[in-house]
Amino acid sequence: KVVCVTGASGFIASWIVKLLLQRGYTVRATLRDPGNPKKVDHLLKLEGAKERLQIFKADLLEEGSFDSAIDGCDGVFHTASPVMVRALINDPQTELLDPAVKGTLNVLQSCSKSPSVKRVVLTSSISAVLYADRPLTPDAVVDETWFSVADNCRKLERWYSLSKTLAEDEAWKFANKNGIDMVSILPAMVAGPLLQPEVNESVEPILSLINGEPFPNNVFGWVNVKDVAIAHIQAYEIPTATGRYLIVERVVHLSELAGILRDLYPTLQIKDECEDDKPFVPTFQVSKEKAKSLGIEFTPLEVTLKETVECFREKNIL
Ligand code: NDP
């Protein structure tokens, strides 16, 4: 079968491409800059790439840009979206919201034009869930029925979360209106081995801790990149898969994450010191019930962190 992966150079998408090739698929990978070896070389080296990987150039903001890559595909994995959480954002509209929202609609438009497309798997995020009008307390069990409220993201100036919330919301509206079979995957912070050469945003907090910086007073859910990639593929392959799927192994305060890293690597100078002296932000729980129905067996956070650090060492990032 032929499938398309948008934003194929990225951290999560590279793993999706790798596992799809392993499963025998022909993969059409869209990149906005296929001429850049840093974006494409790691994909071309994957097992099966010579025979079954096809590279397409496509940009989220160019209308019709995805038509040729998507036409004739059985499935589409739409992962491309700007990931800027910690980076300095000057203009949220042009840097984040337009590519996320217009880009998603652009991709779905191409899907609706191609009768071969049987299912679309959209990479959304836990950010499209957490800013619902419901308190995040240690007793709260967040599940797929929660949907972030755009105004809550705006008030908090969480532009990335706003981009993911609006993109998923618009995607559901478009899919329902146009009869597209869509499933969305909602990962928390993704870590684990990087296939691409550049460090992506979601592993940066781990790198900062290893570099001896104090931990921010914050709570994140974490999940292994391989589990996230498997979730995407299962969501495509399992006919009964439907709706949204949170993909989160464990939610921890960064103090706990620092503690796990210290236990794993006693020789690294990981600080037991918070960036501020306010009370710790409370943790919350995330339901794994729907994820389990995709057959996901979550990699424990300890293993994910170990794989991340080993990868930093292999790539001489440490
Ligand atoms: P990466 O930054 O590694 O990948 C993002 C991809 O989107 C890149 O391939 C990037 O292309 C592409 N992209 C960005 N802007 C454009 C544009 N204007 N036109 C075409 N392509 C564009 O991040 P991740 O792999 O982490 O993220 C992939 C998806 O997963 C995103 O949708 C993200 O929101 C979501 N996600 C990520 C989480 C995480 O913790 N990492 C958690 C939850 C969801 P280029 O390489 O050229 O910049």
Side-chain angles (χ1 to χ4, degrees), residues 47-196:
E47 197 190 318
K50 267 197 197 81
E51 301 80 22
R52 285 176 283 109
L53 181 69
Q54 301 162 3
I55 305 290
F56 287 72
K57 182 177 163 63
D59 192 292
L60 288 171
L61 291 170
E62 254 173 61
E63 239 174 87
S65 192
F66 292 85
D67 283 359
S68 56
I70 287 176
D71 187 39
C73 283
D74 195 76
V76 174
F77 299 86
H78 175 42
T79 85
S81 204
V83 181
M84 303 169 81
V85 183
R86 290 152 57 99
L88 197 64
I89 298 155
N90 294 314
D91 181 2
Q93 191 66 43
T94 55
E95 289 172 59
L96 277 163
L97 305 180
D98 285 349
V101 181
K102 289 185 188 166
T104 296
L105 292 176
N106 199 11
V107 168
L108 289 177
Q109 189 77 50
S110 303
C111 296
S112 73
K113 282 193 270 184
S114 173
S116 61
V117 176
K118 303 287 180 301
R119 178 168 287 172
V120 178
V121 181
L122 172 77
T123 316
S124 184
S125 163
I126 193 171
S127 326
V129 164
L130 293 181
Y131 301 91
D133 284 323
R134 298 169 77 162
L136 285 171
T137 59
D139 293 336
V141 183
V142 176
D143 67 21
E144 289 82 356
T145 62
W146 295 39
F147 213 116
S148 293
V149 174
D151 270 347
N152 293 345
C153 303
R154 279 194 198 94
K155 271 183 222 141
L156 296 165
E157 301 194 352
R158 298 284 161 89
W159 306 120
Y160 169 74
S161 301
L162 179 62
S163 76
K164 297 304 286 180
T165 302
L166 294 175
E168 196 191 342
D169 190 32
E170 291 290 326
W172 282 119
K173 284 182 194 149
F174 187 95
N176 291 335
K177 199 171 149 202
N178 293 278
I180 295 176
D181 177 357
M182 188 179 89
V183 175
S184 67
I185 300 294
L186 292 73
M189 292 281 270
V190 183
L194 317 168
L195 295 174
Q196 83 283 10

